[in-house]
Amino acid sequence: MSAPNDDRDLIFRRIREAIRIRRENLPDHGDAERYRQLLPPVRASLQARIELFREWSDKLNTRFIAANPSDWRAEIASLAAAEGWKSSAFHGTGLAREATEAAGLPAATALDTTRGYDPERLEACDVGFTDCEALVAQTGSVLLTSRGNGGRALSVLPPHHVVIATAGQMVPDLLAAMALIRERHGAALPSLVTLHTGPSRTGDIERQIVLGAHGPKKLTVILILD
Amino acid sequence: MSKPAAAFQAAASAYVGERETRAFLRQSLAGYLAQRRTGEERFQDWEEARVAASAAKGEALDYLDRYLADFLTRIEKRGTRVFFARDAARARERVVEIVREHDAKCIVKSKSMTGEEIDLSETLEHLGYEVVETDLGEYIVQLRGERPFHIVAPAMHLRREEIRELFAGKIGPEAGRSAEPEALTMDARRAIRRKYLEADIGISGVNFAVAETGQICVCTNEGNGRLSTSLPRVHIAVMGLEKLVPNLDDLALLLPMLATAGTGQHLTGYTTIIGGPRQPGEADGPEEFHLIILDNGRTALLADDEQRDALHCIRCGACIYMCPIFKNIGGHSYGTTYMGPIGSVITPHLRGLEEWRHLPSSSSLCGACTETCPVRIDLHHHLLHNRRNAAAAHPAPLEKLALRAYGWLAGRPALFSLAGKLGKLALRAFSPLLGTALDPARGWTRCRALPEPPRQSFREWWKTHEPEPASERDDDDEE
Amino acid sequence: MVFDRRVTPARFPETVRVSLFIPCFVDHFFPQAGIAMVRVLERLGHEVDYPAGQTCCGQPAFNAGYWDQARPPASRLFRLFEDADAVVSASGSCGAMLKVFNPELFAGTSFEEEAADLAGRVWEFSDFLVSELGVEDVGARFPHRVTFHDGCHGLRELRIKSQPRRLLENVEGLELVEMAEAESCCGFGGTFAVKFSHISEAMAEVKCASALATGAEFIVSNDSSCLMQIGGWLGKNAKTPNPPRVMHLAEVLATQ
């Protein structure tokens, strides 16, 4: 259903007319294999990927904690104590739920965004716990979708975003992240796919970096090693 | 001289006179340069990445009908309502229509140069809607009633103290207590925060549109793009039709390049890829997603296969940062949405060659823009092409005559040489006038000395020149 | 960052017949640059020729957009340099006109082939010495502190960056000091300097401040037009008692 005055047909006609002459001097359109030879390099081993993710986290002011399966809950508990969290939000039944429990903020009273929620209440939460689709070593990014990771607002509205990931989720680069989206969700894409690379930041005043412009002031990534 | 040309000359001259302002701008740009260099060095091959980026954008443009059709099929399948606008007026009308349908009061807007191009915020404010620019730089210039100074860094011309005064005056007594960027940023955070929750509509721009998947991509550092497209129940995105890229792999190439060229970062903080309104089973997100695709002169530029690559532009702003003209006249002197080299290339196409021909002319053609462009737009040569097109379509009679006479003279070496001699004599004759208001060469001598004309020209010297035999040098060496 | 054009394997014999291209403003205002080129080339044992009848390469009209008016003077050079083995230009800018812009200016005209043919036989002076003749030491002596200004056309159209520096580094007694803004445009830009006089002035000011900061006695370039701008600005505005002098690269290389 198109609105009145829609210029779709006119613009398509103009486009077809405009590109009747194709350019001869264009270089060949590349593919993932080619791009991987040009973009910043990533070493193959999992250990190297984790180290690269850690390097980026340091530069970005992301707090990165790699913990054993037996320790990660304790890491969250000590983080909760240090930060003084009083209220939290999470999603679903997986790692995010375990995380809020570990923080001493029981899921029964915390906000679960997958069950319908009041944005005002989410805004008032001290922390949002999510899992993720993947971590990207090349850029120190967290890959999230609106389908799997608690919707759109959970990862960006509370002042502290805590991500729980497993080592197997550490992909080497952006190309691998795109391939993952394609394979996992190609048939029915979620409405939002997002990469979070460090906490919210701005350099709009005299190019001085300030964290927490609008989104989370803090981003913590907890990686559960196998 | 056209009105914009006169305004440009006046604004540029005034800015040149402000030495401290220019020094502040240069200092800011030096910071960019250093980070940019580090950014490029992270790539395995930045130069080849530029070639690849240009190829990806070029592929999308040369087959735009197919890529756009694919894109539409996919994004509309998820319930996105797409509207095509031939010009700025149509696009504005459509936005206003959507805003009215929803009886909206408050609108949060994340940074959009296409929004600037169609005067979107001004239009909505004029109709009585509250429009909050959420990007910090945009918010600052909105409070000042100004246009962005630079497409990526809208408030780069302002010092912290100026922003402090602005906030204290416009936000209220709780703001502007300190001029520290940290404190000022938190002032803005507090002022805007409630608006995300109150707003009925979020408006964003579009950095890329992916044909393969039918998604748009919005890049922000502050997270304002994420918030503006998550909380309000309606999301409107405005994009130029040139934003298409063929697939997600191209996006994986272009995202780090945009960040590197734009700010020297390795990746922008929030890369938000949107494929539709809230889908079944999702926790939240807008109920409606409207995408407005704008022509506004772009198909005319597409038809110009010589300058089509100007549509490769990913609005990173690097050419502006690198431009020595921009460095000395600032972003506001241009009087355009897109300033600097890319603006001087595309503005004549978007707004009219005759009125805006002064922009391509106001360049020394140094080529720093072309060298820095991550998608290899042949910017400074297109300035020449615009000059050629302007001269053909709207010749300046005196200039044309003068150049024709010059060409005629150049075809007659003896006369040309004589003219040169007379010219030098004239310079000597006029020397008492040099630098004064009566000086015929005032455009030069106002601020520069003329070279002392030599008595003998090269050709006169050549006539007397006896070639030194190479052996003579050998003899010398033996002595 | 500019990368040098690829150095071709020496294609010239030991003795080359070099045809000089002396742009009009060099002829009239900076003949010493042309004279110095002759001296350097002859000292290296080459035969120098100056085909008579050279005037202007047509760049003023080309840059102004009047390509129809640019073609007549530009096409004259095809005849003048018809038999030349190597055409060497005293200016990177005019060299770029012959090497880069002419092929575009004459594309689709009856001069298309001539334009391409000449473009393949033209070099800027320092590029010719280093990239074509393989000469880096011309045996010059110039005991002074020098900073080098990259003319934009030489730098970005012809990709000349290291060639002049290699030559300067081999000059006896010469101390080469890079200025921070070496690659920034001086603001000349042909008629731009007069049409947009204020902007041009500001660019010169930035350039000169950077050059002055090096403490150099000489600002050297391979383009006399840039030197006219830089020298012109210094002549009128320099506050120091002995501001640096401007000098064409060839003049430095011709000293002994």
Side-chain angles (χ1 to χ4, degrees):
Chain A
M1 183 193 71
S2 70
N5 290 329
D6 192 318
D7 291 323
R8 180 178 306 219
D9 295 340
L10 170 81
I11 289 174
F12 262 94
R13 271 203 307 281
R14 285 179 178 175
I15 289 171
R16 288 197 189 98
E17 180 65 25
I19 58 176
R20 276 195 313 180
I21 301 172
R22 320 267 190 208
R23 287 168 292 176
E24 288 163 9
N25 54 356
L26 274 182
D28 290 339
H29 183 207
D31 54 16
E33 200 184 329
R34 174 73 184 134
Y35 296 166
R36 201 162 264 135
Q37 297 166 348
L38 309 174
L39 287 162
V42 182
R43 282 180 294 139
S45 80
L46 177 63
Q47 201 50 43
R49 290 182 212 168
I50 292 174
E51 277 320 300
L52 185 55
F53 192 92
R54 182 189 299 283
E55 275 173 40
W56 276 119
S57 296
D58 291 346
K59 285 183 198 149
L60 291 162
N61 284 296
T62 301
R63 183 156 180 187
F64 178 61
I65 301 167
N68 291 316
S70 52
D71 297 343
W72 72 273
R73 290 178 192 82
E75 292 282 357
I76 291 198
S78 65
L79 200 58
E83 298 279 335
W85 291 327
K86 295 194 173 53
S87 55
S88 72
F90 71 102
H91 65 94
T93 54
L95 289 170
R97 184 189 183 89
E98 283 187 55
T100 195
E101 293 282 355
L105 300 163
T109 50
L111 175 70
D112 181 351
T113 58
T114 60
R115 316 184 81 181
Y117 71 94
D118 174 8
E120 294 281 353
R121 198 179 150 208
L122 180 62
E123 205 273 334
C125 285
D126 296 323
V127 59
F129 294 105
T130 73
D131 50 23
C132 64
E133 295 274 350
L135 301 178
V136 186
Q138 186 181 41
T139 53
S141 309
V142 181
L143 180 71
L144 303 154
T145 66
S146 50
R147 181 176 302 144
N149 313 114
R152 294 193 187 197
L154 173 59
S155 53
V156 78
L157 195 55
H160 195 150
H161 177 203
V162 177
V163 181
I164 328 293
T166 57
Q169 289 185 297
M170 182 68 76
V171 302
D173 56 16
L174 289 174
L175 287 159
M178 297 300 173
L180 182 147
I181 291 295
R182 205 180 267 137
E183 283 153 27
R184 197 176 288 171
H185 299 292
L189 278 174
S191 72
L192 177 91
V193 175
T194 184
L195 287 156
H196 289 199
T197 309
S200 160
R201 65 189 55 228
T202 186
D204 275 350
I205 300 173
E206 295 190 7
R207 285 185 64 81
Q208 191 164 312
I209 297 298
V210 177
L211 300 181
H214 293 279
K217 294 180 188 182
K218 293 180 179 173
L219 173 64
T220 299
V221 175
I222 296 176
L223 185 73
I224 308 172
L225 302 167
D226 296 325
Chain B
M1 207 189 290
S2 70
K3 235 188 221 172
F8 173 80
Q9 282 276 20
S13 301
Y15 199 91
V16 162
E18 294 174 33
R19 284 176 170 243
E20 278 177 31
T21 311
R22 281 164 52 217
F24 175 73
L25 184 57
R26 273 204 303 281
Q27 187 192 328
S28 172
L29 291 166
Y32 162 79
L33 263 184
Q35 270 171 297
R36 160 85 191 247
R37 198 158 297 146
T38 317
E40 284 182 14
E41 284 164 5
R42 281 193 284 266
F43 281 68
Q44 291 170 76
D45 193 335
W46 172 258
E47 288 305 312
E48 280 303 313
R50 292 174 70 216
V51 174
S54 173
K57 290 291 294 185
E59 166 75 14
L61 287 171
D62 270 26
Y63 300 90
L64 185 59
D65 54 344
R66 294 181 216 168
Y67 285 113
L68 191 57
D70 285 352
F71 170 76
L72 288 171
T73 309
R74 288 159 189 159
I75 202 166
E76 288 182 323
K77 207 170 84 186
R78 282 179 227 110
T80 307
R81 292 166 64 177
V82 179
F83 181 87
F84 281 79
R86 69 179 72 181
D87 56 20
R90 284 276 172 98
R92 284 193 297 263
E93 280 163 25
R94 179 63 188 143
V95 175
V96 170
E97 202 173 80
I98 299 166
V99 169
R100 284 201 175 126
E101 263 173 41
H102 290 274
D103 197 21
K105 309 234 159 17
C106 176
I107 298 158
V108 283
K109 189 164 161 290
S110 84
K111 196 168 158 325
S112 160
M113 287 317 295
T114 312
E116 291 287 336
E117 182 184 328
I118 63 172
D119 294 322
L120 193 50
S121 297
E122 291 73 8
T123 305
L124 290 167
E125 281 175 348
H126 190 71
L127 293 170
Y129 298 103
E130 183 187 8
V131 181
V132 183
E133 294 284 358
T134 58
D135 172 83
L136 178 58
E138 284 279 347
Y139 179 67
I140 293 167
V141 295
Q142 185 189 31
L143 290 182
R144 283 172 63 93
E146 268 178 0
R147 290 293 187 147
F149 188 84
H150 180 283
I151 63 173
V152 170
M156 70 178 294
H157 58 306
L158 299 171
R159 293 171 181 81
R160 59 185 73 185
E161 183 53 33
E162 294 171 274
I163 298 168
R164 190 201 65 74
E165 276 175 35
L166 175 77
F167 280 9
K170 298 271 180 167
I171 299 177
E174 74 281 8
R177 294 204 175 148
S178 156
E180 279 306 307
E182 165 88 36
L184 292 168
T185 303
M186 291 311 131
D187 286 343
R189 179 180 168 113
R190 277 189 291 273
I192 295 171
R193 189 107 184 132
R194 292 301 313 164
K195 303 294 177 191
Y196 290 120
L197 294 158
E198 288 166 17
D200 318 282
I201 291 183
I203 297 180
S204 78
V206 172
N207 289 90
F208 301 100
V210 185
E212 176 197 358
T213 52
Q215 293 170 306
I216 60 152
C217 178
V218 181
C219 303
T220 71
N221 272 311
E222 300 174 3
N224 58 317
R226 278 283 276 110
L227 286 163
S228 307
T229 59
S230 292
L231 296 166
R233 65 175 198 276
V234 179
H235 171 204
I236 305 172
V238 188
M239 69 175 246
L241 54 77
E242 81 284 14
K243 295 290 180 198
L244 263 288
V245 296
N247 59 51
L248 285 174
D249 296 332
D250 299 320
L251 194 63
L253 173 74
L254 285 161
L255 287 170
M257 295 188 73
L258 170 64
T260 299
T263 59
Q265 287 175 283
H266 72 302
L267 193 65
T268 313
Y270 293 90
T271 302
T272 308
I273 307 172
I274 293 171
R278 179 182 185 174
Q279 299 295 293
E282 290 183 349
D284 55 11
E287 292 154 24
E288 284 182 25
F289 173 40
H290 295 266
L291 179 62
I292 295 169
I293 301 179
L294 182 69
D295 182 345
N296 206 32
R298 286 166 175 77
T299 47
L301 188 49
L302 189 68
D304 182 347
D305 59 312
E306 185 176 56
Q307 293 193 46
R308 189 179 294 162
D309 65 343
L311 292 171
H312 291 192
C313 179
I314 55 174
R315 306 280 186 260
C316 70
C319 64
I320 308 170
Y321 281 131
M322 299 305 289
C323 177
I325 314 293
F326 170 81
K327 283 182 197 175
N328 286 300
I329 69 171
H332 288 145
S333 300
Y334 294 87
T336 57
T337 307
Y338 306 102
M339 61 293 295
I342 184 66
S344 298
V345 169
I346 66 176
T347 305
H349 292 271
L350 303 181
R351 295 198 187 176
L353 182 57
E354 190 169 11
E355 253 199 330
W356 296 92
R357 68 187 301 178
H358 59 282
L359 290 183
S361 292
S362 65
S363 164
S364 60
L365 302 172
C366 79
C369 47
T370 306
E371 184 188 338
T372 203
C373 177
V375 289
R376 286 170 55 103
I377 303 170
D378 200 4
L379 286 159
H380 73 295
H381 292 149
H382 292 336
L383 296 175
L384 274 168
H385 299 142
N386 276 341
R387 293 181 188 187
R388 178 202 60 204
N389 297 347
H394 317 281
L398 271 179
E399 192 175 19
K400 188 174 177 176
L401 190 71
L403 288 167
R404 184 176 290 164
Y406 182 76
W408 183 87
L409 207 56
R412 286 151 188 83
L415 273 183
F416 190 85
S417 185
L418 181 66
K421 246 185 246 175
L422 290 175
K424 280 186 279 186
L425 281 177
L427 272 184
R428 283 202 195 88
F430 281 121
S431 63
L433 297 180
L434 292 184
T436 71
L438 295 174
D439 180 0
R442 189 162 162 72
W444 180 270
T445 56
R446 194 184 53 73
C447 51
R448 286 159 294 213
L450 276 164
E452 183 63 30
R455 297 278 158 189
Q456 200 180 30
S457 68
F458 177 82
R459 78 185 57 213
E460 286 162 344
W461 173 83
W462 177 261
K463 278 180 200 148
T464 66
H465 168 62
E466 292 287 331
E468 315 175 27
S471 58
E472 196 178 295
R473 189 192 171 205
D474 294 340
D475 293 345
D476 286 348
D477 286 349
E478 279 163 18
E479 273 170 19
Chain C
M1 195 193 295
V2 169
F3 297 94
D4 295 333
R5 73 182 190 84
R6 199 170 300 135
V7 173
T8 46
R11 71 164 99 177
F12 288 106
E14 267 182 34
T15 305
V16 186
R17 188 170 58 99
V18 177
S19 299
L20 289 185
F21 172 51
I22 303 294
C24 46
F25 68 96
V26 174
D27 179 21
H28 287 296
F29 284 99
F30 303 97
Q32 64 276 20
I35 295 167
M37 281 169 65
V38 176
R39 301 250 190 260
V40 171
L41 288 165
E42 286 181 349
R43 258 178 226 155
L44 291 170
H46 302 292
E47 185 194 330
V48 181
D49 174 33
Y50 174 59
Q54 296 183 32
T55 55
C56 170
C57 63
Q59 194 171 187
F62 177 76
N63 279 354
Y66 294 87
W67 290 18
D68 288 342
Q69 282 68 40
R71 281 187 200 99
S75 62
R76 286 185 69 251
L77 299 178
F78 302 148
R79 227 177 324 111
L80 283 176
F81 291 116
E82 207 171 10
D83 300 322
D85 300 324
V87 179
V88 175
S89 168
S91 147
S93 182
C94 302
M97 182 71 197
L98 268 56
K99 208 168 180 64
V100 179
F101 296 128
N102 267 350
E104 186 176 0
L105 178 62
F106 290 98
T109 71
S110 54
F111 285 108
E112 190 167 343
E113 274 176 38
E114 281 93 334
D117 176 55
L118 178 59
R121 291 180 287 127
V122 173
W123 291 273
E124 177 276 338
F125 179 59
S126 71
D127 190 25
F128 183 71
L129 291 180
V130 175
S131 311
E132 298 300 323
L133 299 183
V135 175
E136 296 190 6
D137 186 349
V138 296
R141 186 174 178 278
F142 194 69
H144 296 285
R145 195 175 165 92
V146 162
T147 191
F148 187 79
H149 160 71
D150 293 287
C152 297
H153 273 149
L155 181 70
R156 299 198 182 87
E157 303 292 351
L158 303 177
R159 312 195 82 65
I160 296 166
K161 177 73 184 178
S162 74
Q163 296 90 323
R165 287 173 174 77
R166 286 195 241 170
L167 289 162
L168 287 172
E169 277 158 8
N170 282 300
V171 172
E172 196 190 324
L174 186 146
E175 184 196 357
L176 180 63
V177 207
E178 289 290 344
M179 64 176 123
E181 302 267 358
E183 291 187 5
S184 297
C185 179
C186 67
F188 178 68
T191 52
F192 166 80
V194 189
K195 281 183 182 169
F196 297 91
S197 171
H198 289 90
I199 307 175
S200 169
E201 173 190 7
M203 290 161 73
E205 178 204 309
V206 173
K207 181 90 220 181
C208 291
S210 183
L212 286 169
T214 63
E217 300 159 79
F218 290 87
I219 303 172
V220 173
S221 181
N222 47 358
D223 230 314
S224 298
S225 49
C226 304
L227 293 175
M228 182 161 81
Q229 165 87 346
I230 293 169
W233 191 89
L234 287 172
K236 187 129 183 166
N237 301 284
K239 304 267 190 305
T240 45
N242 292 307
R245 285 164 52 197
V246 296
M247 193 180 260
H248 192 281
L249 175 69
E251 292 177 74
V252 177
L253 300 181
T255 56
Q256 281 193 318

